[in-house]
Amino acid sequence: QVQLAESGGGLVQAGDSLRLSCVASGRTFSPNPVGWFRQAPGKEREFVASISRSGGVTYYADSVKGRFTVSRDDAKNTVFLQMNSLKPEDTAVYYCASSSTSTRLKEGNAGYWGQGTQVTVSS
C-alpha cells in the first residue's frame, strides 16, 4: 500500500506561483504513474496533470497547459506540481494520486490518494 501526503498549498494572488509536493510512504511511486487532481467548491473532482512511470510522458488538462508542470523524483518518492500564472479559477483542493493498475493515471484507476492541500488564488 502507498500512502501519499501533499504539501505546498496556500493563499496567493493571481499571477503568483506555487509548487506542490507529494511524498509517498509505505511504498514508492515506482513504477506507478502519478499525478494531480483538484476539486473546487461545488464542482466535481477533475484531472489536472499526470506523469508516466518513466517520467517521459506528461498529460495536462487544457485549462492548465502552459502554466503547470508535473515532474517526479522516484529517488525521493516525490511528485511535484509547479503552478505558474495562477488564476482565481485554479482555487481548489489539490490531491495527488497514483495508479498501480495502469500505465496512465485516471480517476477511475487511481488506487491511492493523498489527503489534499488547499490552493486559494485571490483576484
Side-chain angles (χ1 to χ4, degrees):
Q1 184 177 356
V2 177
Q3 295 176 312
L4 307 176
E6 305 96 334
S7 63
L11 174 63
V12 298
Q13 189 175 1
D16 286 351
S17 298
L18 282 173
R19 188 180 74 164
L20 306 184
S21 300
C22 177
V23 180
S25 61
R27 298 286 189 275
T28 62
F29 285 125
S30 299
N32 297 354
V34 295
W36 297 87
F37 296 81
R38 68 186 182 187
Q39 187 167 26
K43 296 185 178 181
E44 296 183 350
R45 186 164 56 193
E46 65 175 344
F47 170 79
V48 177
S50 67
I51 187 166
S52 65
R53 300 184 183 194
S54 67
V57 181
T58 56
Y59 305 89
Y60 297 95
D62 288 341
S63 59
V64 306
K65 286 182 179 178
R67 299 189 298 119
F68 291 11
T69 302
V70 63
S71 61
R72 65 189 296 167
D73 186 342
D74 289 333
K76 298 181 179 179
N77 299 319
T78 303
V79 61
F80 303 96
L81 184 67
Q82 178 66 46
M83 305 185 295
N84 298 327
S85 301
L86 283 163
K87 304 175 180 179
E89 47 264 47
D90 295 318
T91 295
V93 176
Y94 284 71
Y95 301 89
C96 67
S98 180
S99 175
S100 62
T101 61
S102 178
T103 58
R104 180 177 179 177
L105 177 67
K106 299 178 180 179
E107 185 165 359
N109 63 40
Y112 307 105
W113 294 87
Q115 83 289 344
T117 185
Q118 177 71 48
V119 173
T120 302
V121 184
S122 63
S123 59

